[in-house]
Amino acid sequence: MQISKETRGGMAINMIMKKPVNYFVVDAFTDSAFKGNPAVVCFLDEENKRDDSWLQSLATEFNLPMTCFLIPITGSNPLDPPRFILRWFTRFVEMDICGHATLASAHILFSNGLVGSSDIVEFATQSGILIAKRVPEEGSFLVELSLPEILTCEYNSNDVSIFSKALSGATIVDIKGTTTNSTVSKALNGVAKAASTDKIIVVLPSWESVTKLQPIRDDILKCPGKMLVVTAAAPPGSAYDFISRVFGPKIGVDESPVCGSAHCALAHYWSLKMNKSDFLAYAASPRSGTLKIHCDKEKQRVLLTGKAMTVMKGSVLV
């Protein structure tokens, strides 16, 4: 099919009129390319806005675990840390919180000098103000995130067979729910919403039972909760405290490579089980990842610290 000169001209003018949206692809919670959890970080501003339907369509186009959008907040006190609006989208829905894409966003801002000499940046999100801090390390830096703690609670059902079936008959030691029931099922401005705090934590008997787990996707879709978090304590002598894998086919992520928000609930669970506040956690997805965790029970905050690597940059032209 041939396109007329008039049509080509109209398409070209439309592309010229729209300011390109710059983006970066970042692997979070890792110091190696193609490991950790990938996120797309896109930059918008007051003069280059897009509607919610466009944001969701772009996230679907990228087809990565998370695409997020940053808009600088101007006019604030110059003595305060730089602040940005931050929103997160899977290929299916907008999320209320995402740890790895927040870390990716902070990494891009710090590594590209987009917040000047500041070592702190604040994000205005659906989960309140999230703070990211640059932590210097020889020849590099880490990012420390302050995120809300997600409290765990007793799971209100005696029927655990649905979970065992979804996990190929795995032996289940414990099941917990989360106290935040904020899933928004209706669409907002044409975009479906989901709360990543709507999690079920399933505890298995050993590290090996988590790494060798063969989940059944169709059965996970039948389980309660938006995300199924599978975890176990590390064996004696390990450098890690616990292991996890996270499954979220309902939100468009069959297995999250490294789920930051899941660790906001895991930190609460394991702090009660181990009677400690500091952890080194291993995410056992095929891409794998490592997180340093501090659970501040008094403030009900979880500090997640990790590295990130920029692997790609470009521009969206439409």
Side-chain angles (χ1 to χ4, degrees), residues 108-150:
I108 289 299
L109 293 171
F110 290 137
S111 60
N112 289 277
L114 300 177
V115 290
S117 60
S118 178
D119 286 331
I120 296 176
V121 62
E122 296 180 347
F123 300 108
T125 77
Q126 292 190 50
S127 293
I129 299 298
L130 308 182
I131 300 173
K133 180 180 178 182
R134 185 182 188 275
V135 181
E137 186 181 65
E138 185 176 354
S140 183
F141 68 92
L142 298 91
V143 175
E144 177 191 272
L145 301 178
S146 175
L147 304 177
E149 182 182 29
I150 298 175

